[in-house]
């Protein structure tokens, strides 16, 4: 049933004879075609505000008032179906099935704080950019035993549907989260894990370890971008293992495609990985002195490439302490955590290395100016200082069992320095992921205990962006 009532309005055709154009009444909703044909130009939903003898005025969803001659109404206006006006919780039921109808439906629901909408078994989640009281234990209980369509759309319903099907059919399941940067993929993944951990009604040690893996990986793999203050700069696949009853027995995390370039350079108004700023804010004076660090991020080249100050709400001592607590839950030893701090500090010192141009035997060469910084970096890495200097300023080439050594220019030395820092961080991130898996992934013990392994995978793919400079 169309919501538009219409009335006939006489207009003159080209021959001078009167023709009749269907015109909507004030208060009715229509689709307005702006008659533009750009890449992102589509019809928009609008409400008719006034109708005169030769034009009508309507207001778009963005609040813009538009005046349209009556002679154009027939070709540029279409009536809107009732469920497009009110919005539906499953877009399979939409009558106006086109891009404009989908966008309007999401907008209408979002305005009512209904951030979740189904398209069949696909959940569309709109980031509200604010805290919402729809994720407590009460909501977990509500969706735990409900079918997908029994309750209003929710991320918990998707998690419950996958878990229920896994237990019922004894077949593995997977949930994929995808979307643009800042859409809420990482938060959605955490909510899925929280719901699955609450499914058993227990609070086991392995469940806590799986939940604590997230803040550690986020600290080392997330950063502020122009689109998102907590953007995942890597992809991860979490494979959660269950017994036949559906209780969590373990998990395995696979990470891929870490954005290594962010360690040494960032786009304007972006930051390096969270862990650097949290460490500077969280370490005590004695700990900073041991690592030869200052508590101010602006002292380090690798932390200031984006000309953006640290996040006051996130890069705090409390956040650093939370990261350390999570690492202890995941069985990181004190020595291992100290080694992590030393490597992070070494990367910051390496970024402050400066070079001076020289000429050796007619070749462009370079030498390190900041000798003290190089000595500190070598001490933290537990390598020979002379060897480190040689590595930054010379290259060796082997051919036919002979090795030749040639100097590097300043630009080449800087490139080697940055590649070295990226390599350290990449290997550190990979080791942290392996250490987490050592704590939460025990396949041999699991098979002996249960004889069967069911799994539910959650793929948190990194967000897609449109940037002037790719990383």
């Amino acid at each position: 049933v169309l919501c538009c009532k219409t009335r006939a309005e006489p207009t003159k055709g080209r021959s001078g004879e009167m023709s009749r154009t269907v015109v909507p009444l004030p208060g009715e909703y229509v689709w307005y075609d702006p008659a533009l044909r750009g890449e992102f130009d589509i019809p928009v939903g609008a409400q008719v505000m006034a109708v005169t003898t030769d034009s009508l005025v309507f207001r778009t969803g963005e609040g813009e008032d538009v005046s349209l001659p009556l002679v154009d109404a027939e070709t540029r206006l279409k009536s809107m179906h009732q469920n497009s006006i009110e919005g539906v919780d499953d877009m399979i039921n939409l009558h106006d099935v086109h891009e404009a109808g989908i966008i309007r439906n999401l907008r209408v629901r979002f305005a009512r704080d209904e951030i979740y909408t189904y398209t069949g078994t696909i959940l569309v989640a709109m980031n509200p950019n604010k805290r919402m009281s729809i994720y407590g234990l009460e909501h977990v209980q509500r969706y735990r035993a409900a079918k997908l369509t029994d309750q209003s759309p929710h991320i918990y319903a998707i998690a419950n549907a996958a878990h229920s099907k896994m237990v019922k059919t004894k077949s593995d399941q997977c949930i994929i989260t995808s979307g643009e940067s800042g859409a809420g993929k990482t938060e959605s993944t955490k909510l899925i894990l929280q719901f699955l951990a609450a499914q058993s009604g227990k609070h086991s040690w392995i469940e806590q370890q799986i939940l604590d893996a997230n803040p550690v990986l986020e600290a080392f793999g997330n950063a502020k971008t122009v689109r998102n203050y907590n953007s995942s700069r890597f992809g991860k696949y979490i494979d959660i293992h269950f017994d036949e009853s559906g209780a969590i027995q373990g998990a395995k995390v696979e990470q891929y495609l870490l954005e290594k370039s962010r360690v040494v350079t960032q786009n304007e108004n972006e930051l390096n990985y969270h862990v650097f700023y949290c460490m500077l804010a969280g370490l005590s004076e004695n700990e900073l002195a041991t690592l030869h660090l200052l508590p101010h991020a602006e002292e380090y080249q690798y932390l200031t490439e984006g000309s953006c100050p640290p996040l006051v709400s996130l890069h705090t001592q409390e956040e650093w302490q939370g990261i350390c607590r999570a690492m202890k839950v995941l069985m990181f030893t004190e020595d291992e955590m100290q080694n992590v701090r030393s490597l992070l500090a070494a990367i910051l010192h390496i970024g402050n290395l400066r070079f001076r141009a020289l000429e050796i035997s007619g070749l462009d060469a370079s030498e390190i100016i900041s000798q003290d910084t190089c000595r500190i970096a070598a001490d933290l890495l537990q390598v020979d200082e002379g060897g480190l200097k040689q590595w930054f300023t010379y290259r060796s080439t082997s051919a036919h069992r002979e090795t030749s050594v040639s100097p590097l220019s300043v630009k080449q030395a800087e490139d080697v320095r940055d590649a070295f820092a990226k390599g350290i961080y990449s290997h550190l991130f990979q080791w942290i992921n392996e250490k987490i898996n050592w704590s939460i992934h025990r396949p041999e013990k699991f098979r002996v205990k249960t004889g069967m392994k069911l799994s539910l995978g959650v793929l948190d793919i990194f967000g897609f962006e449109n940037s002037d400079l790719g990383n």
Side-chain angles (χ1 to χ4, degrees):
V1 177
L2 297 180
C3 66
C4 263
K5 294 181 181 178
T6 58
R7 67 175 182 180
E9 188 73 25
T11 59
K12 287 188 177 181
R14 290 184 179 179
S15 63
E17 297 178 358
M18 302 299 291
S19 62
R20 303 178 70 81
T21 301
V22 176
V23 177
L25 297 172
E28 294 179 348
Y29 287 85
V30 294
W31 295 110
Y32 163 62
D33 185 355
L36 301 174
R37 290 297 176 263
E39 181 181 0
F40 302 107
D41 293 321
I42 60 173
V44 297
Q47 184 179 23
V48 177
M49 306 304 294
V51 179
T52 65
T53 56
D54 58 356
S55 67
L56 56 83
V57 177
F58 52 87
R59 183 167 296 162
T60 68
E62 289 82 6
E64 178 186 4
D65 287 341
V66 178
S67 178
L68 181 71
L70 285 181
V71 293
D72 295 332
E74 187 174 2
T75 57
R76 297 178 61 183
L77 293 182
K78 291 184 179 180
S79 58
M80 183 183 295
H81 192 272
Q82 184 66 32
N83 68 9
S84 290
I85 298 174
E86 300 172 352
V88 294
D89 59 10
D90 189 339
M91 290 192 285
I92 283 181
N93 299 321
L94 270 180
H95 184 274
D96 299 324
V97 185
H98 43 62
E99 185 176 357
I102 293 171
I103 292 174
R104 174 177 170 81
N105 189 70
L106 296 174
R107 179 194 296 274
V108 168
R109 291 179 58 77
F110 186 81
R112 299 196 297 253
D113 278 342
E114 295 172 337
I115 63 172
Y116 294 120
T117 305
Y118 288 135
T119 300
T121 58
I122 298 172
L123 180 73
V124 181
M126 304 288 289
N127 190 346
N129 290 303
K130 65 180 181 180
R131 294 189 180 276
M132 300 188 69
S133 55
I134 58 174
Y135 302 110
L137 183 59
E138 173 189 350
H139 290 84
V140 171
Q141 297 290 349
R142 179 186 304 173
Y143 286 92
R144 177 180 289 172
K147 294 182 180 179
L148 192 65
T149 57
D150 286 349
Q151 301 285 344
S152 57
H154 201 287
I155 189 71
Y156 287 168
I158 294 292
N160 181 67
H163 182 269
S164 298
K165 187 169 184 178
M166 178 194 68
V167 174
K168 183 178 180 180
T169 64
K170 306 302 180 189
S171 60
D172 297 341
Q173 303 294 313
C174 183
I175 299 173
I176 299 174
T177 59
S178 179
E180 64 180 325
S181 181
K185 298 177 299 302
T186 299
E187 289 300 315
S188 294
T189 299
K190 288 192 288 188
L191 290 168
I192 291 170
L193 294 178
Q194 290 169 9
F195 180 86
L196 294 174
Q199 274 286 68
S200 64
K202 306 173 183 177
H203 188 67
S204 66
W205 180 249
I206 188 64
E207 289 172 352
Q208 186 60 49
Q209 286 182 310
I210 293 172
L211 293 177
D212 279 336
N214 259 316
V216 175
L217 290 173
E218 281 188 25
F220 287 85
N222 288 27
K224 177 193 177 297
T225 66
V226 292
R227 301 282 302 275
N228 182 6
Y229 80 93
N230 189 36
S231 177
S232 296
R233 310 315 299 165
F234 70 107
K236 67 173 177 287
Y237 179 75
I238 307 173
D239 199 30
I240 310 163
H241 303 151
F242 299 82
D243 61 19
E244 289 184 275
S245 68
I248 291 179
Q249 299 296 313
K252 183 179 180 182
V253 181
E254 296 182 20
Q255 60 84 19
Y256 53 94
L257 295 178
L258 176 71
E259 185 186 34
K260 292 182 286 187
S261 62
R262 183 167 296 272
V263 177
V264 300
T265 185
Q266 304 92 44
N267 290 331
E268 189 69 21
N269 202 31
E270 294 192 354
L271 291 174
N272 209 318
Y273 290 105
H274 292 319
V275 68
F276 290 108
Y277 307 95
C278 291
M279 182 179 70
L280 294 181
L283 291 178
S284 66
E285 290 185 9
N286 288 337
E287 290 173 323
L288 287 169
T290 301
L291 300 172
H292 304 280
L293 292 174
L294 296 172
H296 311 296
E298 58 267 22
E299 299 289 339
Y300 302 100
Q301 182 66 31
Y302 283 166
L303 303 186
T304 57
E305 287 286 322
S307 304
C308 181
L311 300 173
V312 177
S313 61
L314 184 60
H315 300 148
T316 63
Q317 183 180 37
E318 292 76 16
E319 191 70 20
W320 173 251
Q321 291 171 348
I323 296 167
C324 293
R325 283 194 299 270
M327 293 178 76
K328 290 178 180 178
V329 171
L330 291 162
M331 310 303 290
F332 285 78
T333 66
E334 287 296 334
D335 286 344
E336 288 171 337
M337 293 173 67
Q338 179 58 41
N339 288 337
V340 169
R341 291 191 288 268
S342 295
L343 288 174
L344 293 175
I347 290 172
L348 295 182
H349 289 298
I350 289 171
N352 282 357
L353 290 177
R354 297 295 176 266
F355 302 89
R356 177 169 50 211
L358 298 174
E359 185 175 311
I360 299 177
S361 301
L363 299 174
D364 289 338
S366 60
E367 67 175 359
I368 295 176
I369 302 173
S370 39
Q371 298 290 333
D372 290 342
T373 302
C374 187
R375 175 183 55 79
I376 292 170
D379 288 344
L380 291 170
L381 294 173
Q382 300 179 22
V383 299
D384 177 66
E385 180 184 354
L388 190 63
K389 290 180 180 178
Q390 179 85 2
W391 197 81
F392 282 135
T393 54
Y394 288 85
R395 70 167 165 232
S396 60
T397 305
S398 297
H400 303 291
R401 298 183 181 179
E402 294 185 359
T403 301
S404 62
V405 179
S406 56
L408 297 176
S409 66
V410 170
K411 178 63 170 62
Q412 291 171 328
E414 290 173 344
D415 290 342
V416 169
R417 174 200 64 191
D418 292 346
F420 188 54
K422 290 188 290 185
I424 293 173
Y425 195 84
S426 176
H427 282 83
L428 173 62
F429 189 74
Q430 183 177 353
W431 176 80
I432 288 172
N433 186 83
E434 292 173 353
K435 178 67 179 180
I436 290 173
N437 284 336
W438 181 87
S439 298
I440 65 178
H441 181 50
R442 302 292 177 87
E444 66 289 341
K445 188 177 295 185
F446 177 58
R447 290 194 184 95
V448 170
K449 181 179 179 182
T450 67
M452 175 178 283
K453 181 180 74 172
L454 297 172
S455 69
L456 196 162
V458 182
L459 176 62
D460 179 11
I461 197 168
F462 38 76
F464 46 84
E465 297 182 349
N466 184 10
S467 304
D468 293 332
L469 178 63
N471 284 337

